[in-house]
Amino acid sequence: MTIDTGSTNVYADLGMPDADEMLIKAQLAAKIGEIIKHRRLTQSRAAEIMGIPQPKVSALLRGQFRGISEAKMLEAIARLGREVKIVIGPSRRRSSPGHVELEMA
């Protein structure tokens, strides 16, 4: 039996073209779910707070977040009472593109 070691991004391992975006959305969705659970909110109440219809909250918590932008997810986290900071780091070599990563407290 052969076992292949994957990367830290399952979406990239599956060959998805938008792998980086999907990983970030998955991390944001997990954080939203964590906050909702910690605050003991119903999906309906969370939807009211976040400004997202309840069926979209349900889908998001099940990992179906393609129809929700990263910006909307960041706004939802802020509406749930968390601070959201976007930090742009120092420049890289011109031939090397930067990348986006999340650091959550």
Side-chain angles (χ1 to χ4, degrees):
M1 175 159 67
T2 303
I3 298 175
D4 293 326
T5 303
S7 70
T8 58
N9 185 339
V10 67
Y11 300 103
D13 294 343
L14 293 172
M16 299 182 81
D18 54 353
D20 290 338
E21 178 184 352
M22 293 300 292
L23 177 61
I24 288 170
K25 284 184 169 187
Q27 291 170 331
L28 292 171
K31 182 52 102 174
I32 290 169
E34 178 185 307
I35 296 166
I36 289 171
K37 184 176 180 180
H38 177 76
R39 290 187 55 187
R40 298 181 181 174
L41 298 171
T42 64
Q43 285 185 9
S44 295
R45 181 65 184 127
E48 289 174 22
I49 293 168
M50 294 188 299
I52 298 172
Q54 185 277 326
K56 279 205 173 196
V57 172
S58 178
L60 182 140
L61 296 176
R62 290 191 322 268
Q64 299 170 351
F65 39 75
R66 279 199 181 270
I68 303 172
S69 70
E70 291 173 35
K72 186 67 175 174
M73 294 172 88
L74 291 169
E75 179 186 333
I77 290 171
R79 286 178 172 224
L80 287 167
R82 296 296 175 98
E83 291 295 318
V84 176
K85 296 179 184 178
I86 298 173
V87 178
I88 300 173
S91 62
R92 298 174 158 257
R93 295 186 320 235
R94 291 180 193 204
S95 62
S96 168
H99 72 282
V100 178
E101 99 184 37
L102 291 179
E103 182 178 317
M104 294 190 226

